[in-house]
């Protein structure tokens, strides 16, 4: 049984951004593209999440990875599977990271067993594909439990959390504590805002990257008055 699925990625040349950037910004961006091409030559940048459709992460990946491939970086996207119990638990974690109780259920030993058993097959399949010099970016709570198995491949493992709370409460800290055992194996953590960073994480591993948008996506195009009316 396959536990991971490849998501097809198109190719768009990032040079199209020259039309929307000031000359100085474009020169900086172009230099970063050249640096990335050199840095990741011969390496794969794996992005792993739990859905290819719907939600901000899938929308972001579809754009960013298309441009990455257009810059001649071998970026790939795989989606993990999971049963109903797994997604019930991860939905609960997601809500709790926002400080809301969600369905009101616990995050105890039973939920940890559900979570880890559901990820076991995905971890094994992905580990068989990842090479020593690759980079793996795991997105959000659904994938956090993959860190240890993938670290053993020798690849660089990054966990990116797209959700959080400016003013954490006991509910959000309960979700942190559930996920925390998987965090030590990661080489780096990415949060969208400084206020989203959890307590007691290794500060040297923390990086802040704001969510990205595609200036050319339909939702970011100007609408003429007739269309708006």
């Amino acid at each position: 049984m396959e536990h991971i699925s490849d998501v097809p990625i198109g190719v768009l040349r990032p040079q199209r951004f020259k039309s929307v950037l000031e000359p100085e910004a474009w020169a900086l961006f172009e230099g970063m593209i050249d640096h990335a091409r050199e840095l990741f030559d011969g390496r794969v940048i794996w992005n792993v999440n739990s859905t290819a459709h719907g939600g901000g992460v899938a929308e972001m990946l579809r754009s960013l990875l298309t441009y990455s491939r257009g810059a001649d970086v071998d970026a790939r996207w795989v989606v993990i599977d999971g049963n109903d119990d797994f997604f019930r638990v991860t939905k609960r974690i997601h809500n709790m990271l926002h400080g809301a109780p969600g369905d009101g259920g616990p995050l105890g030993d039973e939920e940890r067993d559900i979570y880890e058993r559901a990820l076991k097959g995905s971890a094994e399949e992905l580990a068989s594909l990842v090479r020593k010099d690759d980079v793996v970016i795991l997105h959000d709570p659904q994938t956090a439990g993959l860190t240890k198995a993938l670290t053993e491949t020798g690849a660089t493992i990054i966990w990116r959390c797209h959700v959080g709370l400016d003013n954490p409460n006991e509910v959000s800290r309960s979700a942190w504590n559930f996920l925390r055992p998987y965090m030590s194996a990661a080489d780096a953590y990415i949060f969208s805002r400084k206020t989203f960073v959890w307590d007691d994480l290794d500060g040297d591993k923390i990086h802040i990257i704001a969510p990205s948008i595609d200036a050319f996506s339909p939702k970011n195009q100007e609408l003429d008055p007739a269309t708006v009316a």
Side-chain angles (χ1 to χ4, degrees), residues 83-99:
N83 54 32
D84 289 344
D85 285 341
F86 172 76
F87 286 112
R88 173 175 53 81
V89 169
T90 57
K91 180 65 173 178
R92 185 179 301 165
I93 297 169
H94 176 94
N95 287 329
M96 292 175 72
L97 286 172
H98 281 292

Side-chain angles (χ1 to χ4, degrees), residues 93 96-98 115 140-141 144 159-165 168 172-184 189-191 193-203 206 208:
I93 297 169
M96 292 175 72
L97 286 172
H98 281 292
Y115 181 76
D140 278 338
W159 184 65
R160 182 166 187 176
C161 186
H162 297 270
V163 297
L165 195 63
S172 63
R173 289 190 173 92
S174 294
W176 296 356
N177 291 335
F178 182 87
L179 295 172
R180 199 181 297 276
Y182 312 109
M183 293 298 97
S184 61
Y189 319 119
I190 297 175
F191 291 88
R193 293 167 58 89
K194 188 175 181 179
T195 52
F196 289 1
V197 176
W198 306 355
D199 299 333
D200 302 323
L201 289 179
D202 183 345
I206 295 170
I208 308 300

Side-chain angles (χ1 to χ4, degrees), residues 124-196:
E124 292 173 351
E125 289 183 22
L126 193 53
S128 71
L129 299 174
V130 173
R131 299 171 303 181
K132 181 178 182 296
D133 291 327
D134 289 351
V135 177
V136 182
I137 305 174
L138 304 171
H139 295 270
D140 278 338
Q142 297 90 340
T143 65
L146 300 173
T147 52
K148 183 177 180 181
L150 295 178
T151 298
E152 293 173 356
T153 67
T156 298
I157 310 301
I158 300 167
W159 184 65
R160 182 166 187 176
C161 186
H162 297 270
V163 297
L165 195 63
D166 284 341
N167 298 298
N169 56 25
E170 290 308 308
V171 173
S172 63
R173 289 190 173 92
S174 294
W176 296 356
N177 291 335
F178 182 87
L179 295 172
R180 199 181 297 276
Y182 312 109
M183 293 298 97
S184 61
D187 295 291
Y189 319 119
I190 297 175
F191 291 88
S192 299
R193 293 167 58 89
K194 188 175 181 179
T195 52
F196 289 1

